[in-house]
């Protein structure tokens, strides 16, 4: 980078072509000799440091094959964001007596479940927002929920170290998965295999066989709580984010990490996998980062949500939602990382302003409704504003200068 800047300074010199000829056509073999030759041309007006950078670069390679390559402008290569309608609050559902920490949507898109600090799991009708069922059994905050698409089962995990399997035909617990040494903070169902993955405060992610209740793998390597967790059918099949600020991509067959991503500086509390691209996003207090799978290659930062990001969700239309502890809900164009809309959640009457945090979020299966679980003990449902047009809410986007950070 400094080399390009130095070259720009040196180019202003009237005898620049002669200088380049000396440097690149081997007038002198050593760098010092080259500098002496340039001095003889009378280059006092060019800063010697600027030329030294050019000369050093020229001397670094062979005299025949070396040439200065300016850094291309990465901003030009970035695709332009698609237009998305802004989102607005559609419904507020109250009923829980504690923070709403987990949300899962049923595969038929008829109902959804929420888990809370009041130790209950509640089942709600998606269309009307009415309460259908309350499940009790956990003795501490419910932190993870998943509804199986392959069987009539609901899985839940809590800070009481318990991982439970509920049969929704009888609304009873039929299996308990024992093994976590401390609270369980995240849970995810494998989409194609009968496996359940849970992450906890014991710094490990455990892979369970749903039927036999066996702990198939214990994925060790993190040094702090595993909070972010996602599973998918393609490699890497398990991705974990931890309070130790690292992300690990796991080889499920070998039971060990295939990649460790250390770019974040703060705890990684949320992982979101794109339903269309083979990419994923990690959310942290420093920023959000987009990664290419399977190797875990860093693509670009998604900046602007300056708070602790607790929840991420991505729908089929390329809209990403991120919820933070300040009560801000940011809507992004997933492909480019353009923040096309920001909503501020409203605390329920009688709540403090500090109770505006968003702890969990999920799109329904159509992608047209966003459900958020919040610190004011409510569940909020958001939808796209049908009155918005590209003229009323134009895209105000500029590519990042210099192509953005490389880490």
């Amino acid at each position: 980078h400094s080399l390009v800047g130095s070259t720009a300074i040196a180019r202003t010199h009237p005898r620049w072509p002669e200088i380049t000829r000396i440097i690149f056509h081997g007038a002198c073999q050593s760098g010092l000799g080259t500098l002496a030759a340039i001095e003889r041309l009378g280059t006092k007006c060019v800063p010697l440091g600027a030329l030294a950078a050019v000369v050093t670069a020229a001397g670094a390679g062979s005299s025949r094959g070396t040439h200065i390559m300016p850094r291309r402008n990465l901003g030009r290569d970035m695709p332009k964001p698609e237009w998305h309608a802004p989102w607005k609050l559609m419904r507020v559902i109250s009923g829980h007596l504690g923070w709403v920490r987990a949300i899962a949507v049923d595969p038929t898109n008829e109902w959804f479940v929420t888990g809370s600090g009041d130790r209950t799991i509640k089942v709600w009708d998606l269309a009307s927002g009415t309460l259908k069922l309350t499940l009790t059994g956990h003795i501490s905050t419910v932190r993870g929920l998943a509804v199986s698409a392959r069987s009539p089962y609901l899985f839940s995990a809590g800070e009481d170290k318990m991982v439970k399997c509920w049969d929704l035909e009888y609304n009873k617990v039929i299996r308990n998965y024992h093994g976590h040494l401390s609270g369980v903070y995240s849970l995810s169902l494998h989409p194609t295999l009968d496996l359940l993955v849970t992450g906890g405060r014991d710094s490990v992610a455990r892979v369970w066989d749903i039927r036999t209740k066996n702990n198939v793998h214990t994925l060790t390597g993190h040094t702090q709580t595993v909070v972010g967790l996602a599973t998918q059918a393609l490699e890497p099949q398990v991705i974990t984010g931890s309070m130790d600020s690292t992300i690990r991509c796991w080889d499920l067959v070998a039971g060990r990490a295939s990649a460790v991503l250390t770019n974040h500086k703060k705890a990684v509390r949320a992982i979101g996998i794109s339903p269309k691209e083979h990419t994923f996003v990690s959310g942290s207090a420093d920023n959000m980062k987009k990664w290419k799978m399977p190797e875990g290659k860093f693509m670009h930062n998604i900046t602007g949500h300056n708070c602790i990001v607790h929840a991420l969700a991505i729908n089929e239309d390329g809209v990403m939602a991120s919820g933070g502890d300040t009560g801000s809900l940011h809507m992004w164009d997933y492909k480019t990382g353009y923040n096309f809309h920001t909503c501020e959640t409203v605390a329920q009457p009688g709540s403090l302003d500090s109770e505006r945090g968003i702890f969990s979020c999920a799109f329904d299966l159509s992608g047209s409704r966003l459900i958020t679980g919040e610190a004011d003990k409510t569940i909020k449902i958001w939808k796209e504003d049908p009155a918005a047009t590209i003229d009323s809410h134009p895209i105000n986007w500029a590519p990042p200068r210099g192509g953005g950070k490389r880490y």
Side-chain angles (χ1 to χ4, degrees):
H1 182 72
S2 61
L3 172 60
V4 175
S6 307
T7 312
I9 298 166
R11 270 209 187 106
T12 56
H13 192 268
R15 298 180 72 180
W16 172 247
E18 291 174 63
I19 295 169
T20 49
R21 211 171 299 125
I22 289 170
I23 294 170
F24 295 118
H25 294 290
C28 304
Q29 292 304 308
S30 69
L32 277 172
T34 309
L35 275 175
I38 295 167
E39 284 270 302
R40 282 199 296 276
L41 285 174
T43 56
K44 302 291 182 192
C45 58
V46 179
L48 199 60
L51 286 173
V54 180
V55 171
T56 313
S62 68
S63 58
R64 276 174 298 172
T66 313
H67 55 282
I68 294 175
M69 286 288 288
R71 261 187 75 201
R72 61 198 177 88
N73 185 3
L74 298 173
R76 277 193 217 129
D77 300 342
M78 285 201 76
K80 286 193 168 62
E82 282 178 48
W83 183 82
H84 302 283
W87 289 62
K88 64 175 189 176
L89 184 61
M90 170 188 154
R91 179 177 289 135
V92 179
I93 304 169
S94 55
H96 275 297
L97 303 173
W99 289 353
V100 183
R101 302 293 317 223
I103 294 173
V105 180
D106 148 57
T108 64
N109 214 33
E110 291 174 6
W111 47 269
F112 67 95
V113 280
T114 54
S116 164
D118 63 8
R119 311 187 296 279
T120 65
I121 298 162
K122 289 184 186 285
V123 181
W124 310 86
D125 185 69
L126 186 59
S128 63
T130 53
L131 180 64
K132 296 176 78 157
L133 184 67
T134 300
L135 299 171
T136 56
H138 280 282
I139 56 170
S140 190
T141 304
V142 179
R143 292 293 295 253
L145 288 171
V147 187
S148 173
R150 298 149 62 88
S151 53
Y153 294 159
L154 164 70
F155 297 88
S156 65
E159 289 178 15
D160 50 11
K161 308 183 204 172
M162 293 187 200
V163 181
K164 294 177 184 287
C165 173
W166 305 77
D167 188 322
L168 294 172
E169 289 177 347
Y170 300 98
N171 299 331
K172 284 193 172 82
V173 176
I174 55 166
R175 295 190 189 106
N176 282 290
Y177 301 88
H178 296 288
H180 273 286
L181 307 176
S182 193
V184 188
Y185 279 58
S186 51
L187 176 146
S188 183
L189 265 178
H190 195 286
T192 53
L193 305 173
D194 281 338
L195 293 175
L196 173 69
V197 186
T198 54
R201 215 166 61 119
D202 50 5
S203 310
V204 299
R206 293 178 191 271
V207 183
W208 309 91
D209 185 311
I210 289 171
R211 291 199 193 99
T212 63
K213 299 185 281 189
N214 287 340
N215 188 178
V216 183
H217 284 305
T218 302
L219 307 177
T220 59
H222 284 296
T223 56
Q224 284 188 51
T225 309
V226 178
V227 203
L229 177 61
T231 53
Q232 60 174 357
L234 300 168
E235 293 295 334
Q237 294 181 53
V238 180
I239 303 165
T240 55
S242 169
M243 295 275 198
D244 62 12
S245 80
T246 66
I247 301 155
R248 284 173 184 259
C249 300
W250 300 90
D251 180 339
L252 203 52
V253 178
R256 61 168 180 262
S258 59
V260 183
L261 314 176
T262 58
N263 301 39
H264 279 292
K265 297 180 179 68
K266 296 275 168 67
V268 182
R269 293 167 195 261
I271 302 282
I273 292 180
S274 166
K276 283 197 167 175
E277 298 179 15
H278 196 36
T279 56
F280 73 94
V281 166
S282 55
S284 174
D286 51 6
N287 55 25
M288 291 182 288
K289 294 179 189 288
K290 188 172 173 182
W291 311 86
K292 190 170 186 292
M293 294 187 278
E295 68 276 19
K297 181 176 176 242
F298 172 73
M299 293 174 74
H300 61 84
N301 286 321
I302 299 173
T303 53
H305 204 163
N306 302 320
C307 65
I308 296 170
V309 176
H310 284 287
L312 285 173
I314 305 157
N315 73 5
E316 292 269 353
D317 301 328
V319 174
M320 180 174 78
S322 61
D325 64 344
T326 56
S328 57
L329 179 67
H330 285 234
M331 309 303 292
W332 311 82
D333 176 61
Y334 180 72
K335 194 177 280 186
T336 56
Y338 164 62
N339 179 204
F340 68 86
H341 187 61
T342 301
C343 327
E344 290 292 330
T345 189
V346 183
Q348 198 181 15
S351 305
L352 302 170
D353 252 1
S354 57
E355 289 183 303
R356 286 194 319 146
I358 297 172
F359 288 125
S360 51
C361 71
F363 282 103
D364 75 340
L365 266 61
S366 69
S368 62
R369 298 286 180 272
L370 175 68
I371 308 161
T372 56
E374 312 207 355
D376 64 357
K377 305 170 191 166
T378 65
I379 301 141
K380 295 190 174 76
I381 299 182
W382 309 75
K383 67 171 183 180
E384 285 187 340
D385 186 351
T389 63
I390 196 162
D391 298 321
S392 64
H393 293 81
I395 295 172
N396 182 22
W397 178 79
R401 290 181 63 193
K405 284 192 172 181
R406 284 169 289 165
Y407 53 87

